[in-house]
């Protein structure tokens, strides 16, 4: 990527006028941009205007257009200094100096400034005699003058555009600039004002299908609203109230436009309410879904033909409210499949075939959406959801076989040609038996989806981009622990503890937290407890009830209000996102099967975390030569290695619980890495190791202590940790026990040796922050001790009288 493209697509979209021009006198927010006193000429009233989404400011007093680049030069920076400062302000590493010449970038910036100056004249022409027809056209569309001034539109005027950009034919009097993501003008759309067709023409050589109109205004947290008309988007954006409005310039979403939108998690489609718009909506939903984007559709415009007409009739504020009524794209498609009224058997069969096809397609990208399509169609056709689900599964399996068969069939045809000595223009790799064997072998790999790419030389740009977007790590539900460490993606985190110290309970609390705080799937594999009991444990934690009481409620099918609320909440959180896998009721008993299951889930949806309870129970991966492992330590090392590589491959956190060796631990002292069973292999492949220490299992020290918490929220986990006694007393004063979390190892975050005290309620399985104020049990103890002292004093007085 050269410097100009780097600035335009990566740096400028991350910057704002506040970061560049924010030090100008009088800088303040006005409408869709900012104003300030001009830095070029002396003035007392702000006339320097800085619209959002453009790396320029324009002074309406002196006519000067000033780019971010030039303003930094005015401050004394030059060349690479400007580049480094822009990168610093954008929060990204600077591009290597070998990627381009600062002089070329400066020249491009100056050319962009000249084009921007020309454009300001075109905007001003609207209000001059030469732009009367264009202004009247906009007024006939019922656009107010204030809104027109805010719109990024202008009128054709005699002066040629600087640089290489060509204008549309002169009869296309209304001009709208096409801007890059960074806000630079890269072309123009021209619109006729006389009603003749075609309505639009574009700059010569300009490819409108490779950009989105208004894309420069989008920011990372926006939800793009997609319409067709270029002028529609410009009017709605100028009128305010709607963030993220962009236009396709037609009813078809191109592949290039879909790629631009793929960086957003959600997109709202507001294409025209005609046949072309509806067909375009259907195609857009499928393209965006295939790229992992969730789509929503504004189903109608209350009789208006497009967003522009709706906004002009009902007001832009009313249009801004429409996204709240948007229907999920897959639901919109499903509802269009089944027409109102009674269907003939033939029509019903055709609808069912389309519905199965739609659900099968969505099952590859969004299984939750696929299930909702099935529910929608099943309700309208009075069919069983289970039957439709089974039909979709069969169709999906059939298509997978068909795709594999096609790959192999094509390969056999190519191999036959190679054996016969015929050259294939599409695959000129030679002829003969060896070439035929190569073709077949490659096809088998492709059909089995196990292709592996050879390593590539290091690409610094890619590495730095990955670091720039490296996830911050999963947070714990306990702020004090977050201040010390996190669980990072792309590695194995081991939670180590002795028997009954709370490993599984710790994991259940994390599962509930990640379901509530993240959108991705959570996978929990258990080697000891079946999935129904894991579910019941999650319910009891949410309800704050004892596990035994919750199990009793399930047996009677009578629930307390707290348990009912917990079941409803868990059902909502877990819908389509929680995978409970136990080795007791499934064939997923080893690393190979678990990895295959997790990868299958990852192909369909994002995964937040994978839990393994616990590591030493999971079976090791099968050795490539089919031989057995020499000893138990080799098996455990292979398990840790497999889990580590699964985390790296998928870029997700794998959290495995591991058992402490009771022979050398005895559960009395705080855990060490060396206390892990078969610790060498686990420590080698673990990115982080956290230790759990339960005061009730270890046994309370013979020290009377006042309840207190560490002043820093943590303490060093030396065996004689001075804060341990007060923390134990604090936990007991609240009717719970102390659960310490110690950082035994962390490659990324350090803090090894620190321990954070938490409060565990063992019966309910709930873990919370250790309170900073003593609980009611301590107050009762103080009262009892006070009564005892009073009794002693009375007895002493009686003894003196005698």
């Amino acid at each position: 990527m050269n410097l100009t493209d780097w600035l335009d697509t990566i740096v400028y979209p991350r910057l704002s006028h506040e970061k560049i021009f924010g030090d100008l006198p009088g800088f303040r927010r006005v409408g869709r941009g900012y104003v300030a006193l001009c830095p070029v000429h002396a003035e007392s009233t702000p006339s320097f205007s800085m619209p959002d989404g453009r790396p320029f400011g324009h002074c309406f007093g002196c006519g000067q257009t000033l780019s971010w680049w030039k303003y930094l030069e005015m401050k004394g920076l030059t060349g690479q200094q400007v580049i480094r400062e822009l990168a610093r302000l954008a929060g990204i590493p600077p591009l290597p100096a070998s990627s381009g010449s600062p002089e070329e970038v400066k020249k491009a910036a100056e050319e962009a400034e000249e084009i921007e100056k020309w454009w300001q004249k075109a905007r001003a022409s609207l209000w001059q005699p030469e732009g009367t027809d264009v202004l009247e056209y906009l007024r006939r569309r019922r656009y107010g003058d204030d809104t027109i001034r805010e719109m990024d539109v202008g009128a054709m005027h005699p002066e040629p555009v600087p640089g290489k950009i060509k204008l549309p034919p002169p009869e296309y009097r209304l001009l709208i600039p096409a801007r890059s993501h960074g806000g630079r003008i890269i072309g123009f759309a021209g619109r006729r004002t006389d009603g003749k067709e075609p309505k639009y023409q574009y700059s010569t050589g300009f490819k409108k299908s490779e950009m989105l109109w208004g894309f420069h205004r989008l920011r990372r947290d926006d939800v793009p609203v997609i319409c067709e008309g270029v002028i529609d988007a410009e009017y709605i954006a100028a009128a305010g109230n709607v963030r993220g409005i962009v236009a396709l310039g037609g009813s078809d979403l191109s592949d290039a436009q879909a790629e631009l939108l793929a960086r957003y998690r959600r997109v709202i489609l507001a294409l025209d309410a005609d046949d072309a718009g509806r067909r375009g909506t259907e195609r857009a939903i499928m393209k965006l879904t295939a790229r992992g984007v969730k789509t929503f559709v504004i189903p109608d415009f209350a009789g208006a033909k497009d967003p522009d007409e709706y906004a002009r009739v009902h007001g832009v504020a009313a249009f801004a409210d429409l996204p709240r009524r948007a229907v999920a794209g897959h639901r919109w498609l499903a509802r269009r499949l089944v027409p109102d009224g009674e269907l003939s058997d033939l029509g019903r069969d055709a609808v069912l075939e389309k519905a199965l096809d739609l659900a099968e397609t969505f099952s590859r990208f969004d299984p939750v959406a696929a299930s909702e399509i099935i529910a929608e169609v099943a309700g309208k056709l009075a069919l069983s959801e289970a039957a439709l689900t089974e039909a979709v599964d069969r169709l999906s399996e059939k298509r997978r076989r068909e795709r594999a068969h096609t790959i192999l069939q094509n390969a056999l045809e190519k191999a036959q040609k190679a054996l016969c000595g015929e050259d294939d223009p599409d695959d000129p790799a030679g002829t003969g038996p060896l070439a035929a064997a190569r073709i077949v072998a490659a096809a088998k790999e492709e059909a089995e989806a196990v292709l592996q790419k050879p390593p590539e030389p290091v690409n610094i740009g890619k590495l730095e981009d990955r670091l720039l977007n490296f996830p911050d790590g999963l947070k714990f539900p306990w702020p004090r622990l977050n201040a010390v460490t996190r669980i990072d993606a792309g590695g194995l985190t081991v939670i180590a503890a002795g028997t009954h110290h709370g490993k599984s309970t710790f994991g259940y609390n994390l599962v509930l937290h990640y379901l509530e705080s993240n959108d991705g799937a959570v996978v929990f594999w258990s080697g000891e407890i079946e999935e129904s009991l894991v579910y019941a444990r999650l319910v009891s934690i949410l309800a704050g009830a004892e596990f035994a009481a919750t199990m009793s409620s399930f047996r009677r099918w009578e629930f307390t209000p707290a348990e009912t609320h917990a079941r409803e909440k868990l059902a909502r959180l877990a819908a389509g996102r929680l995978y409970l896998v136990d080795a007791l009721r499934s064939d997923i008993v080893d690393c190979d099967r678990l990895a295959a299951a997790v990868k299958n889930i990852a192909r369909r949806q994002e995964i937040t975390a994978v839990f393994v309870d616990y590591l030493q129970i999971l079976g090791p991966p099968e050795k490539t030569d089919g031989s057995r492992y020499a000893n138990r330590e080799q098996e455990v090392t292979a398990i840790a290695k497999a889990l580590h590589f699964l985390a790296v491959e998928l870029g997700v956190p794998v959290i495995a619980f591991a058992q402490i060796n009771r022979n050398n631990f005895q559960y009395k002292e705080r855990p060490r890495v060396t206390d892990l069973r078969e610790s060498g292999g686990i420590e080698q492949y673990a990115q982080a190791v956290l230790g759990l220490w339960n005061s009730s299992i270890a046994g309370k020290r013979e020290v009377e202590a006042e309840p207190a918490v560490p002043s820093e929220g943590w303490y060093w986990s030396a065996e004689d940790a001075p804060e341990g006694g007060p923390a134990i007393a604090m936990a007991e004063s609240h009717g719970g026990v102390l659960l310490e979390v110690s950082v035994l190892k962390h490659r990324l975050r350090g803090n090894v040796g620190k321990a954070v005290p938490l409060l565990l309620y063992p019966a309910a399985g709930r873990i919370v922050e250790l309170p900073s104020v003593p609980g009611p049990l301590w107050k009762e103890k103080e009262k009892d001790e006070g009564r005892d002292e009073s009794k002693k004093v009375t007895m002493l007085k009686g003894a003196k009288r005698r």
Side-chain angles (χ1 to χ4, degrees):
M1 178 181 291
N2 63 42
L3 272 172
T4 302
D5 291 340
W6 176 73
L7 288 170
D8 209 34
T9 61
I10 296 178
V11 178
Y12 287 163
R14 296 171 184 267
L15 292 175
S16 65
H17 292 303
E18 289 175 290
K19 292 183 178 180
I20 307 293
F21 293 127
D23 60 345
L24 290 175
F27 183 90
R28 69 178 188 276
R29 182 80 182 176
V30 174
R32 291 195 304 146
Y34 299 86
V35 297
L37 295 178
C38 179
V40 178
H41 80 287
E43 61 177 0
S44 56
T45 302
S47 59
F48 187 65
S49 174
M50 297 151 278
D52 286 337
R54 304 175 210 173
F56 302 96
H58 180 77
C59 180
F60 290 97
C62 66
Q64 186 70 244
T65 297
L66 197 63
S67 68
W68 290 344
W69 182 285
K70 182 179 285 187
Y71 185 61
L72 290 178
E73 285 188 326
M74 288 174 61
K75 291 185 170 184
L77 303 181
T78 59
Q80 286 292 340
Q81 293 176 326
V82 175
I83 293 169
R84 284 195 293 271
E85 180 64 7
L86 288 170
R88 185 189 70 79
L89 292 171
I92 63 174
L95 202 63
S98 60
S99 300
S101 164
E103 289 72 25
E104 292 178 4
V105 178
K106 181 179 179 181
K107 183 178 178 182
E110 289 173 348
E111 183 177 307
E113 285 180 25
E114 292 302 314
I115 295 172
E116 197 70 30
K117 286 180 184 177
W118 181 92
W119 176 240
Q120 294 303 327
K121 293 178 182 178
R123 293 189 68 200
S125 291
L126 274 177
W127 311 94
Q128 306 298 327
E130 66 264 27
T132 301
D133 60 323
V134 179
L135 182 61
E136 287 305 314
Y137 167 76
L138 294 171
R139 286 170 172 169
R140 285 198 304 273
R141 292 179 68 98
R142 287 186 279 182
Y143 297 168
D145 283 2
D146 289 342
T147 300
I148 294 172
R149 287 187 176 91
E150 287 291 323
M151 292 171 68
D152 199 15
V153 296
M156 188 78 75
H157 67 101
E159 291 185 28
V161 182
K164 300 175 182 178
I165 296 177
K166 303 298 182 185
L167 290 173
E171 59 269 24
Y172 289 84
R173 300 271 301 136
L174 172 61
L175 295 178
I176 306 169
R179 294 184 180 273
S180 68
H181 196 189
R184 182 170 51 91
I185 294 176
I186 55 177
F188 289 95
R191 177 166 178 128
R192 297 188 76 118
T193 60
D194 55 11
K196 294 180 180 180
E197 296 287 341
K199 295 178 182 178
Y200 286 97
Q201 285 287 352
Y202 300 88
S203 296
T204 306
F206 174 72
K207 296 179 180 179
K208 69 181 181 71
S209 62
E210 295 184 0
M211 58 87 66
L212 291 162
W213 300 85
F215 192 58
H216 62 286
R217 289 188 290 260
L218 284 181
R219 290 298 175 260
R220 288 183 177 184
D221 58 343
D222 285 343
V223 178
V225 179
I226 315 299
C227 67
E228 290 186 28
V230 176
I231 198 167
D232 299 23
E234 195 54 48
Y235 164 61
I236 293 170
N241 300 320
V242 181
R243 286 184 59 184
I245 185 82
V246 295
L248 303 179
S251 59
D252 256 343
L253 175 74
S254 70
D255 290 340
Q257 290 170 331
E259 288 298 327
L260 291 175
L261 292 170
R263 65 190 70 183
Y264 296 90
R265 292 181 58 194
R266 298 175 180 86
V267 164
I268 298 171
L269 296 166
L271 305 189
D272 291 359
D274 55 18
D275 289 342
R278 284 185 279 270
R279 287 193 299 271
T281 300
E282 291 176 3
R283 291 189 290 268
I285 291 171
M286 302 311 296
K287 283 186 177 182
L288 293 171
T289 299
R291 289 166 171 83
V293 180
K294 292 185 178 181
T295 59
F296 299 84
V297 180
I298 294 178
D300 64 77
F301 299 112
K305 64 180 178 63
D306 56 31
D308 178 78
E309 183 177 313
Y310 182 91
R312 283 185 280 132
V313 172
H314 301 282
V316 176
F319 179 82
D321 195 53
L322 289 181
R324 299 179 189 175
R325 293 169 30 208
V327 177
H330 60 276
R331 287 185 182 276
W332 184 84
L333 289 174
R335 291 169 186 174
R336 279 177 55 78
L337 286 175
V338 188
D340 294 330
E342 190 173 348
L343 286 170
S344 65
D345 286 351
L346 188 63
R348 181 187 177 89
D349 189 67
V351 167
L352 185 57
E353 185 177 342
K354 290 179 181 177
L356 292 176
D357 181 73
L358 182 65
E360 190 279 328
T361 301
F362 267 87
S363 68
R364 300 179 216 164
F365 311 108
D366 189 344
V368 175
S371 66
E372 290 182 346
I373 291 171
I374 290 170
E376 194 84 35
V377 173
K380 285 195 172 186
L381 296 182
L383 293 172
S384 160
E385 286 186 35
L388 282 181
T389 300
E390 185 179 347
V392 170
D393 290 342
R394 286 201 303 269
L395 178 61
S396 182
E397 184 179 348
K398 176 186 175 185
R399 287 187 173 171
R400 285 196 298 271
R401 289 198 306 268
E402 287 174 349
R403 286 194 292 271
H405 177 75
T406 300
I407 290 169
L408 293 173
Q409 192 67 35
N410 291 339
L412 288 174
E413 292 176 4
K414 287 183 178 180
Q416 186 65 36
K417 289 180 180 179
L419 286 172
C420 295
E422 298 179 25
D423 289 329
D424 185 347
D426 295 326
D427 186 17
T431 58
L434 290 177
R438 180 196 58 76
I439 292 169
V440 173
K444 284 182 177 179
E445 288 185 354
E446 185 181 356
E448 294 170 3
V450 291
L451 290 174
Q452 293 195 9
K453 296 181 180 179
E456 298 177 354
V458 65
N459 184 318
I460 298 298
K462 283 185 179 179
L463 294 180
E464 290 186 338
D465 188 58
R466 280 165 59 187
L467 290 173
L468 173 66
N469 297 288
F470 197 81
D472 193 33
L474 289 179
K475 292 184 177 181
F476 294 95
W478 311 290
R480 288 177 186 147
L481 186 54
N482 286 327
V484 172
T485 191
R486 300 279 176 89
I487 293 179
D488 290 294
L492 170 64
T493 295
V494 174
I495 312 293
T499 303
H500 304 308
H501 271 245
K503 295 187 300 296
S504 298
T505 300
F506 192 81
Y508 300 149
N509 279 265
L510 291 183
V511 167
L512 292 170
H513 176 64
Y514 294 151
L515 285 174
E516 194 157 13
S517 60
N518 295 273
D519 293 331
V522 175
V523 183
F524 191 96
W525 181 89
S526 174
E528 292 184 306
I529 305 175
E530 67 154 282
E531 61 178 333
S532 62
L533 295 177
V534 175
Y535 164 74
R537 194 62 163 142
L538 296 175
V539 171
S540 74
I541 293 171
L542 276 177
E546 293 189 6
F547 178 64
T550 299
M551 287 298 296
S552 177
S553 297
F554 273 110
R555 292 191 192 97
R556 300 192 315 271
W557 204 248
E558 296 176 0
F559 301 97
T560 66
E563 289 169 337
T564 299
H565 177 72
R567 288 170 55 234
E568 292 172 350
K569 181 176 181 179
L570 185 55
R572 184 175 68 255
L573 293 175
R577 298 198 295 124
L578 177 60
Y579 295 83
L580 297 178
V581 183
D582 67 68
L584 306 176
R585 293 178 176 267
S586 74
D587 62 350
I588 302 176
V589 295
D590 57 37
C591 289
D592 293 332
R593 290 184 175 89
L594 177 61
V598 171
K599 290 175 185 177
N600 193 20
I601 295 169
R603 280 193 286 272
R604 296 179 294 170
Q605 63 191 119
E606 181 183 350
I607 293 179
T608 294
V610 177
F611 291 85
V612 175
D613 187 20
Y614 59 92
L615 185 147
Q616 288 102 333
I617 288 183
L618 185 65
E622 185 177 344
K623 296 180 75 172
T624 54
D625 60 2
S627 64
R628 299 171 64 88
Y629 291 91
N631 52 51
R632 179 58 179 158
E633 185 163 351
Q634 283 190 10
E635 286 187 347
V636 173
T637 299
I639 295 167
K641 180 179 179 181
L643 294 178
H644 164 71
F645 279 110
L646 176 64
V648 172
E649 180 181 350
L650 298 182
V652 302
V654 173
I655 305 162
F657 302 93
Q659 187 78 357
I660 292 292
N661 190 334
R662 73 177 70 194
N663 291 334
N664 67 352
F665 182 59
Q666 299 302 321
Y667 305 153
K668 295 297 182 184
E669 302 302 331
R670 291 168 173 82
R672 301 178 297 267
V673 171
T674 53
D675 293 323
L676 279 166
R677 289 183 184 172
E678 300 86 23
S679 61
I682 297 176
E683 183 181 4
Q684 179 182 352
Y685 287 104
Q687 181 170 265
V689 180
L690 304 180
L692 302 184
W693 185 79
N694 184 319
S695 65
S696 67
I697 303 298
K700 182 178 176 182
R701 296 164 182 262
E702 296 299 324
V703 176
E704 289 295 326
E706 295 277 334
V709 295
S711 58
E712 300 293 335
W714 56 269
Y715 46 78
W716 294 108
S717 59
E719 292 185 1
D720 58 345
E723 295 90 341
I728 292 173
M730 180 65 78
E732 291 181 349
S733 75
H734 287 270
V737 300
L738 176 70
L739 182 70
E740 281 183 7
V741 185
S742 302
V743 181
L744 305 183
K745 170 187 175 180
H746 208 304
R747 287 184 180 141
L748 302 181
R749 299 180 182 270
N751 283 333
V752 174
K754 290 181 179 178
V756 176
L758 301 174
L759 173 60
L760 165 65
Y761 294 102
R766 194 159 57 92
I767 303 172
V768 298
E769 286 269 89
L770 186 66
S772 56
V773 177
L777 297 182
W778 177 256
K779 295 176 182 176
E780 290 296 323
K781 183 179 178 181
E782 285 183 322
K783 288 180 182 178
D784 291 342
E785 289 176 349
R787 283 193 290 268
D788 290 344
E789 287 297 323
S790 175
K791 194 177 296 183
K792 287 178 184 178
V793 170
T794 303
M795 291 174 65
L796 285 170
K797 287 181 177 178
K800 286 179 179 178
R801 283 197 297 272
R802 287 197 295 274

